[in-house]
Amino acid sequence: MCGIVGYIGYGNAGDIIIEGLKKLEYRGYDSSGIAVIKDGKIEVRKQKGRISNLETAVENEHFNSTVGIGHTRWATHGAPSDANAHPHISMDKTIAIVHNGIIENYTELREWLTKDLGVIFTSETDSEVIAHLISLYYDGSLEDAVYKAVEKMRGAYGIGVLCSKEPDKIVAVRKDSPLIIGLGDGCNFIASDIPALLKHVRSIYLIENNETVVLTRNEVKIYNADRKEVKRDVFHVTWDEDAAEKDGFDHFMLKEIHEQPKGLFETLNRRLDKNGNILLDGISMTKQDLEKFDRVYIVACGTAYHAGMVGKFIIERFAKIPVEVDVASEFRYRDPFIDDKTLFIAISQSGETLDTLAALREAKKKGARILSVVNVVGSSVARESDDVFYTWAGPEIAVASTKAYTTQLMCMYLIALYVGYTKGVLAPDLYNEYIRELKFIPDKLKTLLKTEGDILEAAKGLYKKEQVFFIGRGPDASVSLEGSLKLKEISYINSFAIAAGELKHGTIALIEQGSLVIALATQDRLFEKMLSNIQEVKARGAYVIGLAKEGNKEIEKQADKVFYIPDCPDDLTPLLSVVPLQLLAYEIAKLRGCDIDKPKNLAKSVTVE
Ligand code: AGP
């Protein structure tokens, strides 16, 4: 997610905006920039890298402008660079914009602007189209031009706009990306996030979807989609700065758990064309390329590896190709069978995990086609891959990965469905059915997150446990691994996951009176088997928490407590079943007083062997 700050008042806009951008650094970014209006012209300065680079770029400038907009960029389209940094300006340099979100139809808009209207683009970004559209429609009223421009756009956006012909005004508009208005005395602000404004104002307007805002020094007007002015209650911010960075959540991890519906929505919907077919931008493999592959390797570490394990099920089921999954630290030393008929999929949130990067290089050397699933645009794994499939989870700050995991899963589904359909091994009706079912998942996840209170109640009875077993079958066995890792890494409880069918081959010797067993039983076709496993451990005194699909009353006869997920096809349950486990780990760690966002001994990106 990008950061936006805008200011109009009587102070030094450059200083105030850069100061506000610094308050958004925690969100993660790769470049920054500002635009101000000075002597009737728009001045833009933007730099790749840290905000200190921007400060250096402007330190000798005496902007002494009183109106401007600024931006910190988290790249989604176009690698981090000065040119791709915001603000973007129109060709006639009269319009400057900053944008947070994704313009889904930017390709067709860019083509139309370039080919039909002769617009010359200066960046690779989706956002730049906004500046050209507003300039195209400008006819004396900035807000009218903004209205017309957004009517052409599909996607998510929080936008701030300057116009050199109307220097005493900022216009902002919002759809599905956050936007707030700071109300000052003789000055007003726009921002994507509260921390950017806290030093100056505590009275804000929360802008709703499809609303346009016109700010001057002494007035703020909000208009709805019908261009009717709307009144808005003032929200008084009582948070301190630390709470504000987490949007009011106690930890980044909990904030990111709650950002999963949006991450899944972005990662899925950006890749569906208007007919609902999958568009895999960033993947240049043809049907012939796909038919050449006789095996797939999925290689990753930690949580990303767990996503790959689910990916194995999905790709084998939909794309009918054998898949091997391995942890990168093992893969790179076992001299694997790799050749030019191998598709190698690297999964990495950071794109900088050394083991994964080394494994990728090993596979590349042996002729494999490299496809990576990465959250950080322009990261090393992305740069060294033949094709990159980005998760649009936004910056993941907490060390314990949550939203990256579920968006990695979404990428696995999209790749599997796309490859299976393109190769003609997946029936069109099944392809369409699964795409339809995937579109329901973000809202189902929102519903699931409302059960947070039940999970907290359960955690109160469990947080003193010193050992926890996770069991499951099929995809549930893979999700069990992820649930166990979450609990381990933030609560420091000795937890492990095992395929339920393996219990009787040794591990059940550990089950005793009071052992806590979390049994995932979402797979209809494996449910009877899971019931037997639950009975096995119950017979030895275990306390069992079951995890099943809504409507499954049978499990209540066996388990001591049940967490439910909304009903969905068996194959899609991992997108939902992991969430109660994330929340349980979080609530237990919180009750144990652990440092949830920065667990001991761990780093967010393991760039060493
Ligand atoms: C997950 O919660 C951990 N933070 C860790 O296992 C992580 O998934 C692993 O280090 C891989 O990181 P990457 O996705 O950035 O490559």
Side-chain angles (χ1 to χ4, degrees):
M1 257 82 85
C2 305
I4 288 177
V5 181
Y7 169 81
I8 184 164
Y10 296 95
N12 183 315
D15 293 346
I16 292 169
I17 288 168
I18 287 178
E19 191 183 52
L21 293 177
K22 284 180 165 180
K23 296 297 181 195
L24 302 181
E25 286 197 280
Y26 70 90
R27 303 162 55 102
Y29 67 102
D30 46 57
S31 52
S32 66
I34 62 170
V36 298
I37 298 179
K38 181 168 176 289
D39 305 331
K41 283 199 312 175
I42 288 179
E43 298 281 349
V44 176
R45 301 290 181 276
K46 50 188 189 176
Q47 295 282 323
K48 179 183 173 184
R50 311 302 298 164
I51 290 176
S52 51
N53 297 354
L54 178 64
E55 282 185 299
T56 306
V58 303
E59 67 185 354
N60 302 320
E61 311 256 4
H62 299 292
F63 273 143
N64 60 21
S65 163
T66 59
V67 56
I69 52 179
H71 189 266
T72 52
R73 181 174 183 244
W74 169 267
T76 54
H77 293 77
S81 68
D82 294 357
N84 288 338
H86 300 208
H88 291 292
I89 56 172
S90 56
M91 277 175 68
D92 63 3
K93 300 192 184 339
T94 61
I95 301 290
I97 67 100
V98 288
H99 169 229
N100 177 18
I102 289 174
I103 305 303
E104 296 180 3
N105 60 333
Y106 86 97
T107 308
E108 56 198 80
L109 289 172
R110 185 176 177 125
E111 201 166 315
W112 168 61
L113 287 163
T114 307
K115 289 196 176 128
D116 296 14
L117 301 168
V119 170
I120 297 168
F121 279 75
T122 58
S123 79
E124 308 160 289
T125 67
D126 57 330
S127 306
E128 189 184 345
V129 298
I130 302 169
H132 298 306
L133 283 173
I134 295 172
S135 170
L136 173 70
Y137 293 120
Y138 185 80
D139 184 17
S141 159
L142 182 55
E143 50 270 36
D144 284 355
V146 170
Y147 274 122
K148 291 182 184 130
V150 297
E151 278 170 2
K152 298 287 282 187
M153 293 163 18
R154 266 201 340 265
Y157 44 83
I159 304 170
V161 190
L162 288 184
C163 175
S164 57
K165 295 172 183 168
E166 299 183 58
D168 297 313
K169 182 189 283 183
I170 293 177
V171 173
V173 60
R174 183 220 159 169
K175 178 177 170 291
D176 292 334
S177 284
L179 186 71
I180 57 176
I181 303 298
L183 306 168
D185 180 8
C187 63
N188 290 301
F189 298 75
I190 65 170
S192 53
D193 236 347
I194 288 175
L197 309 179
L198 279 187
K199 180 176 179 186
H200 303 282
V201 294
R202 293 226 166 220
S203 300
I204 64 172
Y205 285 144
L206 300 172
I207 301 306
E208 294 174 14
N209 262 359
N210 303 312
E211 288 184 339
T212 300
V213 192
V214 180
L215 300 85
T216 60
R217 287 175 179 77
N218 299 305
E219 194 173 57
V220 173
K221 286 186 179 291
I222 305 172
Y223 300 91
N224 64 17
D226 302 326
R227 300 194 189 186
K228 297 250 183 309
E229 188 177 349
V230 294
K231 290 301 173 200
R232 182 60 36 82
D233 292 340
V234 175
F235 176 81
H236 292 287
V237 181
T238 55
W239 294 336
D240 63 24
E241 216 161 280
D242 182 55
E245 287 186 357
K246 303 179 185 84
D247 249 0
F249 289 102
D250 289 344
H251 297 93
F252 281 113
M253 182 179 176
L254 188 59
K255 178 180 175 222
E256 288 157 8
I257 288 172
H258 282 267
E259 286 176 339
Q260 291 183 109
K262 178 171 170 46
L264 288 172
F265 178 86
E266 302 270 0
T267 302
L268 171 62
N269 286 280
R270 272 285 296 108
R271 293 187 173 102
L272 296 178
D273 67 16
K274 47 182 178 290
N275 303 319
N277 290 317
I278 295 173
L279 274 175
L280 289 199
D281 56 316
I283 292 187
S284 54
M285 285 180 277
T286 63
K287 185 172 187 298
Q288 288 67 34
D289 292 335
L290 295 174
E291 283 167 341
K292 187 181 74 174
F293 298 129
D294 61 9
R295 81 182 70 188
V296 173
Y297 271 104
I298 302 178
V299 175
C301 300
T303 287
Y305 166 67
H306 298 152
M309 291 185 74
V310 176
K312 169 185 170 63
F313 282 106
I314 299 157
I315 293 172
E316 287 188 340
R317 168 153 160 65
F318 294 138
K320 307 287 184 256
I321 185 169
V323 179
E324 275 206 52
V325 190
D326 210 346
V327 289
S329 54
E330 289 297 307
F331 174 86
R332 50 187 295 213
Y333 298 111
R334 67 180 177 93
D335 195 15
F337 293 108
I338 298 263
D339 58 20
D340 62 356
K341 295 194 288 299
T342 304
L343 175 61
F344 178 95
I345 300 178
I347 304 176
S348 177
Q349 187 285 129
S350 63
E352 299 301 342
T353 299
L354 188 59
D355 280 328
T356 305
L357 198 52
L360 178 158
R361 289 169 179 161
E362 173 85 8
K364 196 167 193 173
K365 212 162 39 184
K366 294 190 172 186
R369 176 87 185 213
I370 311 295
L371 165 61
S372 61
V373 175
V374 180
N375 196 40
V376 179
V377 174
S379 54
S380 304
V381 168
R383 287 199 312 275
E384 298 191 25
S385 300
D386 299 308
D387 299 286
V388 186
F389 196 96
Y390 284 114
T391 51
W392 277 315
E396 190 175 67
I397 312 288
V399 166
S401 185
T402 52
K403 62 179 184 173
Y405 173 76
T406 45
T407 50
Q408 286 161 358
L409 292 183
M410 182 58 83
C411 291
M412 294 290 107
Y413 287 106
L414 289 170
I415 289 166
L417 289 166
Y418 176 83
V419 172
Y421 184 70
T422 307
K423 285 176 59 183
V425 296
L426 176 64
D429 58 341
L430 203 56
Y431 170 82
N432 292 320
E433 179 195 333
Y434 271 92
I435 290 175
R436 192 171 49 252
E437 288 290 344
L438 281 173
K439 292 172 84 169
F440 291 133
I441 292 294
D443 282 342
K444 287 185 175 180
L445 212 164
K446 280 181 190 167
T447 304
L448 181 55
L449 284 166
K450 291 178 182 145
T451 66
E452 194 172 4
D454 300 343
I455 307 272
L456 172 56
E457 281 315 303
K460 286 176 181 170
L462 306 171
Y463 75 97
K464 293 195 169 88
K465 289 289 181 186
E466 288 312 322
Q467 184 171 55
V468 180
F469 299 84
F470 287 78
I471 64 172
R473 287 174 177 261
D476 284 344
S478 305
V479 176
S480 296
L481 282 165
E482 178 53 16
S484 172
L485 176 61
K486 288 287 98 48
L487 185 64
K488 253 185 287 211
E489 66 177 328
I490 63 171
S491 74
Y492 316 138
I493 289 174
N494 176 13
S495 141
F496 72 89
I498 184 168
E502 273 294 287
L503 274 170
K504 55 187 173 294
H505 298 286
T507 302
I508 201 162
L510 293 176
I511 303 296
E512 56 192 19
Q513 189 58 39
S515 293
L516 173 56
V517 176
I518 296 171
L520 279 68
T522 70
Q523 304 297 298
D524 297 343
R525 60 191 176 81
L526 298 168
F527 182 69
E528 292 307 320
K529 294 284 183 198
M530 276 307 296
L531 277 190
S532 307
N533 295 129
I534 292 171
Q535 286 159 349
E536 269 174 45
V537 295
K538 285 291 293 173
R540 289 159 178 82
Y543 178 86
V544 176
I545 294 181
L547 196 156
K549 285 194 278 195
E550 262 163 12
N552 180 335
K553 294 301 176 198
E554 188 63 23
I555 194 167
E556 291 180 5
K557 296 174 190 166
Q558 303 295 338
D560 298 286
K561 180 166 186 52
V562 182
F563 295 154
Y564 283 105
I565 62 171
D567 190 24
C568 70
D570 276 10
D571 297 305
L572 302 189
T573 59
L575 287 162
L576 297 172
S577 59
V578 72
V579 175
L581 307 184
Q582 294 169 343
L583 289 169
L584 183 65
Y586 172 81
E587 296 298 355
I588 286 176
K590 193 174 174 188
L591 288 163
R592 291 169 72 100
C594 298
D595 183 356
I596 290 171
D597 285 335
K598 296 190 179 68
K600 65 181 180 182
N601 309 334
L602 297 181
K604 182 58 187 169
S605 177
V606 183
T607 54
V608 294
E609 289 212 42

